[in-house]
Amino acid sequence: MQLVGFNFKKILVERNNLARFNKAGNVSLGIKNVEKENISLLKDEEALKFEFNYSINHKVDEALSDKNSSKKNEEFNGILFEGNLVMAATKEEADLIMKAWGKNEIEKSVYESLCNIILRKCVSKAVLLTDELGLPLPVLVPKMSLEAKQQQST
C-alpha cells in the first residue's frame, strides 16, 4: 500500500489549569472508519480512506498541584488529532481490508503501517504545540552532557 493523501480534520491542544502533570500521558491511537474512496487517477489500484484519532491526555499530578480544584482529573489537558489518510492498494488488498473491517478488524501489518504514518505526521506537530502550552512533550528529547564526554575521553 502507498500513501496517496493525508488530511487533518481537527487539531485540539488544551491546558485547562495551571497544574503540574505526570510525565507520561494516556496515549490513544485508533482507526475509526475505513471506506473505499473514488480516485480516478488510480487505474489498477483502489483507494481506501482510513479515519483516525490520536490523542495524548495528561493526568494532573496531585502531589504537585493545587488541592482546591476538584475537577482537575476530569479535564482534558493534552492534544487531540483527528483526520484521515488515503492509501492506494491493489484490488485484492482492498477487498481483504474491507472484509476484515466488516468485522471491525484490521490486519496487524496494515495497522502497523497506518500507525507509523499517523505518528510520523502527528508527533512533529505535537512537539511544537504542546511546548507552546507548557504541556509535557510527547517524545523524549536527547540531552547533551559535556561531563560524560570528558569522562569518556580520559
Side-chain angles (χ1 to χ4, degrees), residues 107-141:
E107 183 183 320
K108 184 178 176 180
S109 63
V110 172
Y111 186 72
E112 186 177 286
S113 296
L114 295 173
C115 288
N116 285 328
I117 293 167
I118 293 166
L119 289 171
R120 190 173 7 145
K121 298 284 189 176
C122 293
V123 169
S124 59
K125 290 191 183 318
V127 168
L128 296 172
L129 295 169
T130 54
D131 187 50
E132 288 295 323
L133 268 70
L135 292 166
L137 295 174
V139 293
L140 293 176
V141 177

Side-chain angles (χ1 to χ4, degrees), residues 36-52:
K36 288 189 177 185
E37 185 83 0
N38 186 15
I39 299 179
S40 59
L41 294 175
L42 297 175
K43 293 185 168 88
D44 298 331
E45 295 180 304
E46 292 190 12
L48 295 173
K49 181 168 81 171
F50 298 86
E51 293 182 21
F52 70 89

Side-chain angles (χ1 to χ4, degrees), residues 43-81:
K43 293 185 168 88
D44 298 331
E45 295 180 304
E46 292 190 12
L48 295 173
K49 181 168 81 171
F50 298 86
E51 293 182 21
F52 70 89
N53 59 1
Y54 170 63
S55 67
I56 303 169
N57 188 11
H58 295 282
K59 295 288 185 187
V60 174
D61 188 337
E62 304 214 12
L64 300 173
S65 300
D66 179 18
K67 306 263 188 239
N68 298 328
S69 177
S70 61
K71 290 175 34 177
K72 62 187 169 216
N73 278 325
E74 300 168 17
E75 296 175 338
F76 182 77
N77 289 289
I79 189 160
L80 166 71
F81 294 96

Side-chain angles (χ1 to χ4, degrees), residues 4-15:
V4 175
F6 188 97
N7 300 298
F8 288 110
K9 294 192 300 186
K10 180 180 192 177
I11 299 175
L12 172 70
V13 185
E14 200 165 27
R15 180 174 179 165

